[in-house]
Amino acid sequence: MTTETSPKTELATEVTPDWEPPMPPTDLIFDDGELLESKRHRIAMNLLIDSLYQHWSDRTDFFAGGNMFIYYSSAQARNRDYKGPDFFVVLDVDGKTDRQGWVVWEEEGRYPDMIVELTSSSTASVDIGKKKDIYERTFRTPNYFIFNPFDRKSLKGWRLQNKKYQELQQDDRGWLWCEELELWLGTWEGTILQESAVWLRFYDSEGNLVLLPGEVAEQERQRAEQESQRAEQERQRAERLAAKLKELGVDPDSV
């Protein structure tokens, strides 16, 4: 009996493509055209940024920004429902990288280590409500502060402990310690860019005011002027001595 062998039928194998995770949005915006509350708010923000960069002028391991968008989730990015803090600092990052905003998934998941909101009567409820909750629960930002540039007594701050914000207590100067930056935050009264006000300023651990670049330049100018005056006084003293010696018949070069 002859057995007929039928050709094998090859089964079609459906190849499943490798799974790829959904990618975060790339069509991010970094400027909505909205300005800060007032000229004073803008100056207050730049004051904090400029003074910190001056204080840490020998460092490149941090980033400080203000009024910049912070993107931390796909949903938030799609909804465009959140604007960045008025001032924030991220430590242990490459400060030389160009950034239009802070995009968490492009920064190895890094969030701000310190935030300041320059609040006002119209934003206070959000700053101590929704934003404070985000900084506490999502960002896990260790230090959060608020200050109204039109209210000298408005400075408040919190430190994250056991995943909850605990309010900081002011010292006898009315200052609050920022442990992350190892700097004090306190008020200073003066005129900046023709605006006289009580400003939020940094102070070092010894209580010295952290200066702005312009203040450092002025300090150096005054120091150079004092040195020049001392040199001129010394020159005049030497001339008077030489004249006196000549009157006495003594060669000044022999003295």
Side-chain angles (χ1 to χ4, degrees):
M1 179 178 180
T2 303
T3 302
E4 185 176 342
T5 303
S6 60
K8 293 182 179 180
T9 303
E10 295 184 1
L11 298 176
T13 302
E14 183 178 351
V15 179
T16 302
D18 292 337
W19 178 83
E20 293 184 0
M23 300 302 292
T26 57
D27 58 337
L28 304 177
I29 63 170
F30 295 100
D31 184 3
D32 59 4
E34 293 188 15
L35 302 177
L36 288 171
E37 285 279 315
S38 67
K39 173 187 174 183
R40 189 174 297 184
H41 282 79
R42 176 178 57 79
I43 295 173
M45 177 192 73
N46 290 330
L47 192 160
L48 293 172
I49 296 172
D50 294 347
S51 61
L52 186 64
Y53 272 102
Q54 174 63 47
H55 185 61
W56 285 347
S57 59
D58 60 338
R59 294 177 54 172
T60 59
D61 63 342
F62 74 98
F63 177 80
N67 198 33
M68 296 173 63
F69 285 10
I70 293 182
Y71 286 105
Y72 59 91
S73 77
S74 296
Q76 172 254 343
R78 286 193 300 269
N79 295 334
R80 316 268 196 232
D81 64 352
Y82 179 71
K83 299 176 180 61
D86 293 322
F87 173 79
F88 68 95
V89 182
V90 189
L91 303 173
D92 302 318
V93 296
D94 184 1
K96 295 177 292 184
T97 300
D98 290 332
R99 298 174 173 95
Q100 291 180 282
W102 190 264
V103 184
V104 170
W105 54 84
E106 293 180 357
E107 302 285 354
E108 299 183 354
R110 293 300 313 279
Y111 287 88
D113 292 284
M114 180 268 202
I115 288 174
V116 176
E117 289 290 359
L118 298 168
T119 190
S120 68
S121 58
S122 63
T123 65
S125 60
V126 174
D127 293 334
I128 62 175
K130 178 182 178 181
K131 285 190 174 182
K132 182 168 170 281
D133 289 343
I134 292 173
Y135 301 154
E136 177 186 64
R137 300 174 184 178
T138 304
F139 286 21
R140 302 294 190 196
T141 295
N143 275 131
Y144 175 47
F145 302 89
I146 62 171
F147 180 71
N148 183 342
F150 290 91
D151 182 357
R152 66 174 64 217
K153 297 182 179 179
S154 61
L155 178 61
K156 290 185 179 180
W158 295 265
R159 176 154 183 83
L160 196 66
Q161 295 179 345
N162 299 322
K163 299 182 180 181
K164 291 288 185 181
Y165 272 146
Q166 303 297 323
E167 187 166 356
L168 296 170
Q169 299 302 311
Q170 296 180 353
D171 71 354
D172 55 4
R173 298 165 295 190
W175 297 359
L176 295 175
W177 178 248
C178 178
E179 188 169 333
E180 299 307 304
L181 304 187
E182 297 184 336
L183 292 170
W184 290 98
L185 272 171
T187 55
W188 174 87
E189 188 169 358
T191 302
I192 299 177
L193 296 179
Q194 302 179 350
E195 183 89 4
S196 297
V198 174
W199 305 100
L200 186 63
R201 300 287 301 259
F202 288 119
Y203 295 84
D204 67 20
S205 58
E206 297 179 352
N208 300 306
L209 180 67
V210 173
L211 301 179
L212 292 162
E215 292 171 331
V216 171
E218 176 61 20
Q219 191 178 73
E220 292 175 349
R221 186 195 66 78
Q222 292 179 359
R223 187 181 297 114
E225 186 175 293
Q226 291 170 357
E227 289 295 329
S228 177
Q229 290 174 352
R230 280 194 290 268
E232 177 62 20
Q233 290 170 357
E234 181 62 25
R235 185 189 66 78
Q236 292 176 1
R237 188 193 68 81
E239 287 181 351
R240 289 194 299 269
L241 177 59
K244 186 66 174 178
L245 290 172
K246 285 181 178 180
E247 289 178 2
L248 297 173
V250 178
D251 183 3
D253 294 335
S254 65
V255 178

